[in-house]
Amino acid sequence: MKKTFVSIMQLISVVCVFSILSCSSSAVQIHQVYYDPVSTESGGEAIELYNPDPYDIDIGGWIIATESSEKDAVLPANSSIPAKGFFLIADDGWDEKRDSPDWRSADFTTPITMNNDDSGIALRNSSGALLDALGWGSASGIKEGLFSNSPSNDVPQGKALLRTDTTDDNSIVFVVSGPFFIGHNVIRLQVNVSYSIINPA
């Protein structure tokens, strides 16, 4: 009986450890990147992160790496993304220089530099572990670690790369989209529309 009790307690301990690990691990994603704004390259660029989990995630000390710097942006201590929420990182001067006054203010601004061609970004935690990456253009021109599987295509000026799935292949997951920097409390919907033309007899 005592042996059985110990085995049950060990099993509970293992389950608790896995629960703690799963809650502390991060599924935060790069959701949207706007690297070629219309108005200005200095002050108009932005990166949006998304937390798909049902709990807040602490992102203090996390890093955005780019072609320009391994630590192009370092998120301040006590930064967090709410459950099912977004976190907008933008270039200094975003409020004055963003392409649309209807876009929301950034959660964090800092000088960031993203190239328009053959480039990418990586999201790393405070220990430097790679969490997500997005590249665009030719893989041969992008630093290692700044894209996942195959890079996405370059986008035209004034367009963003928007995540549409959770898989790791940038060329499949990210699509060219109009920039979509709305408020925190707006529900985002993706609608697929199809139509057919009937030729009357």
Side-chain angles (χ1 to χ4, degrees):
M1 184 71 178
K2 184 177 181 181
K3 189 173 182 180
T4 304
F5 178 75
V6 171
S7 298
I8 292 172
M9 291 305 294
Q10 288 173 337
L11 179 61
I12 291 172
S13 298
V14 170
V15 170
C16 288
V17 168
F18 276 112
S19 297
I20 291 169
L21 288 174
S22 64
C23 287
S24 61
S25 64
S26 167
V28 171
Q29 306 162 351
I30 297 169
H31 178 255
Q32 183 178 194
V33 175
Y34 190 55
Y35 63 81
D36 192 5
V38 175
S39 299
T40 176
E41 297 285 346
S42 177
E45 298 178 337
I47 300 163
E48 188 175 53
L49 307 180
Y50 174 61
N51 172 17
D53 289 318
Y55 47 82
D56 297 357
I57 292 181
D58 182 357
I59 57 172
W62 287 19
I63 299 160
I64 297 291
T66 66
E67 293 278 351
S68 304
S69 173
E70 285 296 315
K71 293 185 177 181
D72 206 342
V74 179
L75 304 184
N78 301 318
S79 298
S80 66
I81 309 182
K84 308 291 184 181
F86 298 85
F87 189 93
L88 184 58
I89 305 161
D91 206 356
D92 268 349
W94 172 258
D95 281 348
E96 298 79 29
K97 299 178 180 179
R98 58 193 171 190
D99 283 342
S100 172
D102 295 330
W103 295 347
R104 71 182 183 90
S105 294
D107 297 291
F108 175 59
T109 59
T110 188
I112 52 177
T113 303
M114 294 185 285
N115 299 338
N116 293 342
D117 304 298
D118 301 342
S119 193
I121 64 169
L123 174 65
R124 299 180 181 276
N125 65 18
S126 56
S127 300
L130 179 64
L131 303 177
D132 198 8
L134 166 60
W136 51 90
S138 172
S140 62
I142 306 173
K143 284 183 181 178
E144 186 177 351
L146 296 185
F147 64 94
S148 182
N149 288 319
S150 301
S152 178
N153 292 326
D154 288 327
V155 302
Q157 187 179 52
K159 296 293 184 179
L161 283 172
L162 181 70
R163 179 183 287 276
T164 59
D165 202 347
T166 57
T167 58
D168 292 330
D169 193 330
N170 293 166
S171 64
I172 298 172
V173 172
F174 286 90
V175 299
V176 178
S177 170
F180 198 59
F181 302 112
I182 59 174
H184 285 285
N185 298 321
V186 176
I187 298 174
R188 305 182 183 208
L189 298 175
Q190 181 176 337
V191 179
N192 296 319
V193 178
S194 62
Y195 64 92
S196 60
I197 298 174
I198 300 174
N199 189 13

